[in-house]
Amino acid sequence: MQVELTVNGQRRSDDVEPRLLLVHYLREVCGLRAANVGCDTTSCGACTVLLNGTSVKSCTVLTVQAAGQQVTTAEGLAADGELHPVQAAFRQEHGLQCGFCTPGMVMAAVGLLAENPDPTEAEVREGLEGNFCRCTGYHNIVRAVLAAAAGTSAAAGESAGIVSGEPAEVGR
Ligand code: FES
Ligand code: FES
């Protein structure tokens, strides 16, 4: 099927299998490797992206369901060489270790803050409960989201590493 959609601000038209999952479309057709596949069963959140500004698990969305819509991955967050405030906050608060969960976690946090710009700690923890992290114990992640909400994350000034959506070795 021919599908037309916008990915990170760029309009695309691709011929895809009707059963192709959005995460596989992003990784294999678009070459965007930030969204990772951790489970394929809607459990881990590693594949989280924004669909029209709302966070979704892209292993649970067919590419054809995204037709005509705006998809944003972690690669699409930074602008003019500056990390997105949520990315900068993850970097500042050391909200990552191995980085496998990080792009999905950042996208879930961006979606959460779009819905609730001033969340409590409990609301952050509840809002991210669909995203698993096996490394950090979540404390620094929660701190990062609260820092981003408070506007206290330092401007990063450069795109660097996993928080900017560059792929980790794992999950490639
Ligand atoms: S790969 Fe999509 S939720 Fe785990
Ligand atoms: S930083 Fe390793 S899984 Fe979250």
Side-chain angles (χ1 to χ4, degrees):
M1 292 181 65
Q2 200 68 24
V3 66
E4 295 187 7
L5 69 169
T6 302
V7 179
N8 294 338
Q10 293 193 322
R11 296 192 65 171
R12 297 186 57 104
S13 179
D14 293 293
D15 189 20
V16 301
E17 294 247 354
R19 64 180 179 171
L20 183 68
L21 295 172
L22 182 59
V23 67
H24 295 308
Y25 170 76
L26 293 169
R27 292 179 61 85
E28 294 157 20
V29 179
C30 303
L32 297 168
R33 301 297 179 88
N36 284 319
V37 179
C39 68
D40 240 351
T41 55
T42 326
S43 300
C44 74
C47 63
T48 304
V49 300
L50 299 182
L51 193 57
N52 290 341
T54 300
S55 63
V56 297
K57 293 178 176 176
S58 60
C59 72
T60 310
V61 178
L62 294 169
T63 308
V64 293
Q65 291 178 294
Q69 303 194 57
Q70 306 263 354
V71 179
T72 307
T73 71
E75 290 98 332
L77 286 182
D80 301 325
E82 298 273 337
L83 292 177
H84 184 282
V86 172
Q87 293 174 306
F90 269 69
R91 189 186 200 194
Q92 173 182 292
E93 302 296 330
H94 308 290
L96 67 147
Q97 288 182 25
C98 80
F100 187 78
C101 74
T102 310
M105 198 69 82
V106 166
M107 300 313 288
V110 171
L112 168 68
L113 293 177
E115 283 181 17
N116 181 1
D118 187 23
T120 64
E121 178 177 338
E123 288 169 338
V124 172
R125 290 184 182 276
E126 185 180 347
L128 297 181
E129 68 183 4
N131 289 68
F132 295 170
C133 176
R134 296 300 187 203
C135 303
T136 65
Y138 300 98
H139 295 300
N140 287 359
I141 290 173
V142 172
R143 249 196 295 271
V145 178
L146 291 172
T152 55
S153 61
E158 61 185 79
S159 297
I162 294 159
V163 288
S164 67
E166 290 174 18
E169 282 301 314
V170 282
R172 273 187 174 182

